[in-house]
Amino acid sequence: MTGAAGPSPLSSEFAQEIVDTLAPHSVYNVNIMDEHGVIIASLDPDRIGTFHQAAQQALAEDRVLNVDQPAPGSSDRPGVNVPLRVGGRLVGVVGLTGEPSRVAPAARFVGVAVELLISRELERERAVARQTRSRDFVAALASGTSSVAELAGRAEALDLRPPWTLFVESPAPEQGRVPSAEVTTILHGSRWTVAPVDVAQRYRQQPGTRLLRIDVADLSELVTRAEEARAISDSVALMPEAADDRWRWDVALAVARLGPRSRERLAARVVEPVWSETVLVLAESRSLRDAAAELHVHRNTLGHRLTQIERATGVDPRQAAGLFTLLMAVYAGR
């Protein structure tokens, strides 16, 4: 039996690379046979592509096979043939040519070494494949060019299960990746990352960057939030700086969806820095008293300032709709 079906992890190119690597350290000729017993790598070019009867038998019986006298008519030579098992699957055979009693100790060692090399290569290939799938998933998500059904298939291939946290960091940092299990790529100067919630807790924003971060419960919400994040990140100044506790996703998104002229007109409404600070604090306060305390002014002073803002802008910051408009003006001013 040769194990589970599927593409062989042992290509002829990689097998020959292994043989060439081992050759300077071995006094015996090394051959590698695939899972069908065909020689795919050897120091003797004439043997490549020929059938190795003893290798096929070693695979069929799943055991180390010594060859003292090759079978009549075969191209086999005296030596030791060691089955290669990787991930529970027989993937081929490594053979050392020579008198079996002398070759046997080295053959078993070489067999272990070749299995380790194959396992390492498979791990590398899996990492590269996951990185590619991760990049394609996030690129499709960020670009908005794929349906929810297509993204669901991509997420399943990555074994990516909700809930997640979506990160968009700009400009993309050169270092400081999140831990393993994230899917990430660089798009339009920003790094987009989707990470399981437990992994996302270890995410650290890099100095000098702005970061969007939002938790999502399912794929539909992830798609929606990605669309919103794309709009906000198109204007990096709308993204929050580190430790910006007053930043609001809804306000940034509303401003991001305005045209350039609308933003300019809106930004012109709140031009005084003290007004901007007042609007931001008021939006986060439960009452005028709390806002005055946060601003370190008397409540009457705050009331007078709000009246000034209303007269200058035509919008009452004491009303919810007016306050939201003024918040948009502050963000547009960024």
Side-chain angles (χ1 to χ4, degrees):
M1 300 293 292
T2 57
S8 173
L10 188 58
S11 68
S12 57
E13 293 81 4
F14 181 55
Q16 188 62 50
E17 182 180 333
I18 293 175
V19 168
D20 293 339
T21 300
L22 294 175
H25 309 286
S26 174
V27 296
Y28 306 107
N29 183 45
V30 180
N31 299 310
I32 293 180
M33 284 65 73
D34 66 12
E35 56 192 338
H36 305 291
V38 176
I39 298 177
I40 58 175
S42 176
L43 292 178
D44 183 355
D46 293 335
R47 300 196 69 189
I48 295 178
T50 63
F51 179 70
H52 198 291
Q53 184 173 321
Q56 186 187 53
Q57 184 179 349
L59 287 165
E61 299 176 4
D62 191 11
R63 68 181 180 91
V64 176
L65 186 67
N66 296 344
V67 178
D68 295 295
Q69 293 293 331
S74 75
S75 61
D76 296 1
R77 297 175 184 174
V80 178
N81 299 279
V82 181
L84 300 171
R85 183 176 290 275
V86 177
R89 172 185 174 183
L90 288 174
V91 299
V93 175
V94 60
L96 268 66
T97 304
E99 184 181 341
S101 61
R102 294 183 178 179
V103 173
R108 294 179 183 275
F109 175 79
V110 169
V112 172
V114 172
E115 287 179 343
L116 289 174
L117 289 171
I118 296 172
S119 297
R120 182 180 298 177
E121 178 67 9
L122 285 176
E123 290 176 2
R124 187 195 67 80
E125 290 178 354
R126 281 194 290 266
V128 170
R130 177 177 174 80
Q131 184 178 22
T132 299
R133 290 195 300 268
S134 297
R135 183 186 64 242
D136 291 346
F137 172 80
V138 180
L141 175 70
S143 64
T145 57
S146 298
S147 66
V148 174
E150 181 180 351
L151 287 169
R154 293 179 182 271
E156 183 177 358
L158 288 164
D159 195 26
L160 191 64
R161 304 179 186 280
W164 304 297
T165 302
L166 170 66
F167 300 92
V168 181
E169 191 169 7
S170 186
E174 296 181 359
Q175 299 177 346
R177 292 177 56 82
V178 294
S180 60
E182 87 286 2
V183 292
T184 184
T185 193
I186 306 297
L187 291 170
H188 308 299
S190 297
R191 184 176 68 189
W192 286 66
T193 302
V194 178
V197 171
D198 59 335
V199 174
Q201 293 173 354
R202 301 192 294 274
Y203 192 104
R204 294 293 179 267
Q205 181 177 359
Q206 299 304 297
T209 66
R210 293 174 179 256
L211 178 68
L212 298 177
R213 175 174 183 159
I214 189 71
D215 295 331
V216 295
D218 54 44
L219 188 60
S220 295
E221 184 180 7
L222 179 63
V223 172
T224 299
R225 290 300 197 175
E227 179 182 343
E228 296 172 353
R230 185 167 62 252
I232 295 173
S233 63
D234 281 344
S235 299
V236 175
L238 288 176
M239 299 173 65
E241 297 177 324
D244 189 351
D245 296 333
R246 295 172 181 165
W247 186 88
R248 285 177 47 172
W249 185 286
D250 58 342
V251 180
L253 179 61
V255 175
R257 288 176 168 169
L258 294 175
R261 292 183 180 178
S262 295
R263 289 190 200 179
E264 291 177 5
R265 185 169 60 252
L266 191 60
R269 283 189 163 186
V270 180
V271 294
E272 297 291 339
V274 68
W275 290 3
S276 297
E277 178 70 8
T278 299
V279 168
L280 291 172
V281 170
L282 185 61
E284 296 298 316
S285 302
R286 292 178 295 179
S287 65
L288 291 178
R289 177 178 297 178
D290 289 347
E294 177 69 19
L295 290 166
H296 304 290
V297 298
H298 192 275
R299 182 175 176 179
N300 290 341
T301 301
L302 174 60
H304 177 67
R305 188 181 297 173
L306 296 180
T307 298
Q308 286 183 313
I309 293 174
E310 181 179 5
R311 288 174 178 173
T313 64
V315 178
D316 185 359
R318 301 174 185 85
Q319 301 296 322
L323 182 58
F324 190 84
T325 299
L326 293 170
L327 277 172
M328 289 180 61
V330 172
Y331 278 56
R334 295 183 176 185

